[in-house]
Amino acid sequence: MRHTKNPTQILSAYGMRHTGCRSQILEQFIYHDFALSHNYIESHIDSKYDRVTIYRNLKAFLDKGVIHKVLDDEGGIKYALCNDACTEHDHHHNHVHFKCEKCGKTICIDSLKIPEISLPANFEAKELNLLIQGTCDECT
Amino acid sequence: MRHTKNPTQILSAYGMRHTGCRSQILEQFIYHDFALSHNYIESHIDSKYDRVTIYRNLKAFLDKGVIHKVLDDEGGIKYALCNDACTEHDHHHNHVHFKCEKCGKTICIDSLKIPEISLPANFEAKELNLLIQGTCDECT
DNA sequence: GTAACTGCAAAATATTTGCATCCTT
DNA sequence: AAGGATGCAAATATTTTGCAGTTAC
């Protein structure tokens, strides 16, 4: 598990109100080391929380920089915890995400840096997002 | 414009039946040099073609290797023409896609090769998909 | 002629919005 | 107390499926 904080600490750190739903959503992210979809979260947390509330909280987490979107080859959106350095106004994401074609999990590989890439003239890059598909270490 | 073929040639090359809807969809791809969403296509081709037919033809094009999915930071799916070498059974996509945050267009940068990346032990890469976000040459 | 393609209707799924109520601070 | 969070209902958007009729080859 890469994340050492607990839900309460995360909510405090980002100045967000502490609610049951938010804690449970964060627990899912902390517990799992792969990216989660809204659908996955909905079916894994206490069902007393409304689907709409989950949507709104995911959006709030995105806004605050607590989580980030993870692209998927299927077009579905998944989410994962940001590293500690992300804030509402300072996202610096050079993500490498790996999607295993066997188990279907998408994980963040923080240790990998994306190499420098020289774009054509007059193109300016601000954010990089590399999705690698293949077979993960647990499935080889 | 990077693609020199016309709809008729493409359909023939991939062994697909020639229909009005397919030709019009392909015309959109040939005419534009950025990735198109289902929604964009639907609102830009002759309205006599049903939304469902467009879905089915996009799927058929995907299956045959005529087009490929383009990841979007918003999670929406877009599509773009494959290069000539793609077929139904042999996709070799090391895509670099650039999404301009100003004009919103996503273009394929075929000229860029993604550098070799060494994955952690026991990870096997089969496909790479790099999405770069920033400002394109027309918007700088 | 026949398999493939299309249109229409409808179902299934996904996401957003409005509003009244409740909870955190 | 006040603004934010929640639940519910409903609107909107997206994608899929079934089936009957039409078309490409």
Side-chain angles (χ1 to χ4, degrees):
Chain A
M1 192 179 308
R2 291 163 301 133
H3 302 280
T4 53
K5 291 184 176 173
N6 60 43
T8 303
Q9 291 172 318
I10 293 173
L11 290 171
S12 296
Y14 287 89
M16 301 180 76
R17 291 198 174 179
H18 298 219
T19 68
C21 184
R22 288 180 176 175
S23 291
Q24 291 210 19
I25 293 175
L26 290 177
E27 261 177 29
Q28 290 297 314
F29 283 115
I30 293 169
Y31 182 76
H32 298 291
D33 60 351
F34 50 89
L36 308 179
S37 64
H38 170 279
N39 197 43
Y40 183 95
I41 294 168
E42 187 190 349
S43 57
H44 282 76
I45 71 174
D46 194 324
S47 61
K48 80 179 175 188
Y49 293 109
D50 195 88
R51 165 179 299 164
V52 175
T53 302
I54 301 171
Y55 274 114
R56 286 194 270 228
N57 280 331
L58 286 174
K59 198 160 292 180
F61 288 148
L62 278 178
D63 288 345
K64 292 285 184 176
V66 181
I67 62 177
H68 62 271
K69 285 185 182 178
V70 176
L71 300 181
D72 191 275
D73 60 316
E74 309 296 339
I77 309 178
K78 295 181 177 178
Y79 308 89
L81 285 178
C82 290
N83 56 51
D84 296 340
C86 275
T87 68
E88 182 168 1
H89 302 296
D90 178 36
H91 283 262
H92 54 115
H93 287 155
N94 281 8
H95 289 298
V96 181
H97 293 136
F98 186 94
K99 169 150 183 183
C100 178
E101 292 170 346
K102 290 191 179 168
C103 63
K105 291 179 186 171
T106 303
I107 64 175
C108 299
I109 306 186
D110 291 326
S111 60
L112 272 189
K113 295 294 172 204
I114 301 178
E116 275 300 315
I117 289 182
S118 54
L119 289 170
N122 298 319
F123 281 77
E124 269 178 35
K126 286 186 184 160
E127 196 166 320
L128 297 176
N129 226 309
L130 176 60
L131 173 67
I132 306 175
Q133 291 163 254
T135 316
C136 76
D137 55 348
E138 292 181 358
C139 293
T140 41
Chain B
M1 191 178 308
R2 290 162 302 133
H3 302 280
T4 53
K5 292 186 177 173
N6 60 42
T8 302
Q9 291 172 317
I10 293 173
L11 290 172
S12 295
Y14 287 89
M16 301 180 75
R17 290 198 175 181
H18 298 220
T19 68
C21 184
R22 288 181 177 173
S23 291
Q24 291 209 18
I25 293 175
L26 289 177
E27 261 178 28
Q28 290 298 314
F29 282 115
I30 293 169
Y31 182 75
H32 298 292
D33 61 351
F34 50 90
L36 307 179
S37 64
H38 170 279
N39 197 42
Y40 183 95
I41 294 168
E42 187 189 350
S43 57
H44 282 76
I45 71 173
D46 193 324
S47 61
K48 80 179 176 190
Y49 294 109
D50 195 87
R51 166 179 297 164
V52 175
T53 301
I54 301 171
Y55 273 115
R56 286 193 271 228
N57 280 331
L58 287 175
K59 198 159 293 178
F61 288 148
L62 278 178
D63 288 345
K64 292 285 184 179
V66 181
I67 62 177
H68 62 271
K69 285 185 182 177
V70 175
L71 299 181
D72 190 274
D73 59 317
E74 309 296 339
I77 309 178
K78 295 181 176 180
Y79 308 89
L81 285 179
C82 290
N83 57 52
D84 297 339
C86 273
T87 67
E88 183 168 3
H89 302 296
D90 178 34
H91 283 263
H92 54 115
H93 288 154
N94 280 10
H95 290 297
V96 181
H97 294 136
F98 187 94
K99 169 152 184 180
C100 177
E101 292 170 346
K102 291 190 180 169
C103 63
K105 291 179 185 171
T106 303
I107 63 175
C108 300
I109 305 184
D110 290 327
S111 60
L112 271 189
K113 295 294 171 203
I114 303 178
E116 276 298 316
I117 290 182
S118 54
L119 290 170
N122 298 318
F123 280 78
E124 270 178 33
K126 286 188 184 158
E127 196 165 320
L128 297 176
N129 229 308
L130 176 60
L131 174 66
I132 306 175
Q133 291 163 254
T135 316
C136 76
D137 56 348
E138 292 181 359
C139 292
T140 41

